[in-house]
Amino acid sequence: MYGISIPADYDGLNVYNSMRSVAGRVQNDYNTQFYMRALYQRATSGTTFGLPRAWRRGKRYFKNVLFSEGFIGVINSPTYGKIPQICTFSGYGVFMQPVRMLVNQPLVQFDGEIGKDCELILLCGDYRGIWDIVEHYAIRLSIAITSVDCALMNERISLLAAGKNKAAVETIKWLYERISAGEPFSVFDKAIKSDSLDDSEEPIWTFSQDVASQYVSDKLLADIDTILMQFDREIGIAAVGEKKERMLTDEVELQQEDSCARASTWFESLSDSFDMVNELFPDLNLTFSMKYGGEVHEYNAAADTDRPI
């Protein structure tokens, strides 16, 4: 199972990263990209890192690499000192964890032993970031908002009209333009009613659509709210859900606990990682806080040194 063997089984990680849902055909459209950006910012907004002053220009780099890749290395570069870097791995130890960290970019090259020369910060134990979660919900939101656009356009077609001759057609257009411009009352020449027509025939034929029965935009917009609520629960934002006339306290608590499941795993993994980084490089004194379940959870290196493993 890839979830157990990662990261030792790098082929498995590549297979996972290449997976796409059936709706993946919309992943590169504008709406999907919009929601991926919006959801990513929504998911990361509740986490704040206390980083060394020397890293202040790289704080966005630190956060984006950690959440998108799922991990980031902290190395001691001969040129730049102790810095965070996107990295890869080599080898694995008795616990099927990587033993060496590799950094290879134009300005930084590094190869060191994890726990001795460098340390690794993990968002989660499976070495994965949040892009799969973001994309999962962004695709569905993209489909939903596209459906809203189509529904709104279709709901505008509430009236069809046909004229028996060119004069009738032009009159219909003229009347529609005046009404659309805001005029509450319009008149037209009655001569059009006998222009090249039998006295028994009307020059204008209309078809009215029952707009109320065809209106579904409100339901689709409610679906968007539901998808967003599900995403919020996934990342730890407290969401009560659909309002009910009587909601039991146990139901509310269950929904809040559900929203904490994944975020609490992230907090625990980051806390363990920060412990090891601060132990190897005490002068960094890294801290962070994460908001989930409606509360702000603070990591403090001094207070967490006795946390059980």
Side-chain angles (χ1 to χ4, degrees):
M1 183 182 295
Y2 290 132
I4 295 177
S5 58
I6 288 175
D9 187 354
Y10 300 109
D11 291 336
L13 185 57
N14 290 333
V15 169
Y16 173 81
N17 288 334
S18 66
M19 292 179 180
R20 287 293 182 270
S21 68
V22 175
R25 64 184 179 276
V26 300
Q27 75 179 51
N28 290 322
D29 71 1
Y30 174 83
N31 286 332
T32 304
Q33 295 301 315
F34 169 83
Y35 278 114
M36 287 185 70
R37 181 167 177 259
L39 294 182
Y40 178 81
Q41 293 174 347
R42 192 181 185 98
T44 60
S45 62
T47 304
T48 303
F49 294 99
L51 305 177
R53 183 173 178 80
W55 295 6
R56 65 186 182 278
R57 292 188 180 276
K59 62 181 181 180
R60 287 178 291 274
Y61 170 84
F62 178 92
K63 191 174 187 177
N64 287 334
V65 170
L66 178 60
F67 277 97
S68 61
E69 297 294 323
F71 54 84
I72 189 169
V74 179
I75 67 173
N76 191 2
S77 166
T79 305
Y80 301 101
K82 303 177 184 69
I83 56 173
Q85 284 292 293
I86 188 171
C87 60
T88 57
F89 313 110
S90 67
Y92 57 89
V94 66
F95 296 118
M96 302 296 288
Q97 300 294 304
V99 295
R100 300 194 69 81
M101 181 184 299
L102 307 175
V103 175
N104 186 18
Q105 59 147 302
L107 297 178
V108 182
Q109 289 79 42
F110 179 84
D111 181 353
E113 182 179 344
I114 298 175
K116 180 180 179 182
D117 308 312
C118 54
E119 197 50 83
L120 184 64
I121 297 177
L122 283 176
L123 180 64
C124 193
D126 58 7
Y127 289 74
R128 296 172 184 169
I130 66 171
W131 275 118
D132 56 340
I133 306 171
V134 169
E135 185 179 63
H136 175 86
Y137 288 96
I139 288 176
R140 283 148 184 81
L141 285 168
S142 175
I143 294 172
I145 198 65
T146 302
S147 300
V148 170
D149 292 341
C150 292
L152 289 173
M153 185 62 66
N154 292 335
E155 287 155 6
R156 293 177 60 187
I157 307 175
S158 59
L159 180 67
L160 298 177
K164 298 292 290 185
N165 53 40
K166 185 176 180 180
V169 171
E170 293 301 322
T171 300
I172 294 172
K173 292 180 180 179
W174 177 78
L175 289 171
Y176 179 76
E177 289 174 358
R178 290 174 67 90
I179 294 172
S180 297
E183 293 193 17
F185 181 75
S186 295
V187 296
F188 63 93
D189 190 346
K190 70 175 184 178
I192 192 175
K193 298 182 67 65
S194 59
D195 186 10
S196 301
L197 293 171
D198 296 335
D199 292 340
S200 60
E201 295 186 17
E202 293 293 334
I204 299 175
W205 172 85
T206 60
F207 166 76
S208 296
Q209 176 176 277
D210 185 358
V211 179
S213 65
Q214 301 296 323
Y215 191 82
V216 295
S217 297
D218 54 342
K219 298 177 182 178
L220 292 170
L221 290 171
D223 290 340
I224 291 177
D225 287 339
T226 300
I227 297 171
L228 280 172
M229 180 193 65
Q230 292 173 345
F231 176 78
D232 287 345
R233 287 184 185 172
E234 192 81 51
I235 63 173
I237 297 178
V240 176
E242 184 180 354
K243 293 182 179 179
K244 298 180 181 179
E245 185 176 353
R246 292 190 182 96
M247 179 175 282
L248 300 176
T249 303
D250 290 344
E251 292 179 303
V252 176
E253 292 178 351
L254 179 61
Q255 290 182 0
Q256 289 184 343
E257 289 178 5
D258 182 44
S259 71
C260 294
R262 191 184 292 270
S264 61
T265 301
W266 294 343
F267 184 85
E268 181 181 356
S269 179
L270 288 174
S271 296
D272 290 339
S273 297
F274 274 46
D275 282 347
M276 289 184 282
V277 172
N278 287 327
E279 182 178 348
L280 183 62
F281 304 124
D283 54 314
L284 293 180
N285 191 27
L286 302 182
T287 63
F288 76 94
S289 66
M290 181 179 289
K291 184 177 182 179
Y292 60 88
E295 299 179 358
V296 176
H297 301 260
E298 299 276 354
Y299 165 84
N300 184 287
D304 290 347
T305 51
D306 296 327
R307 185 173 53 254
I309 45 179

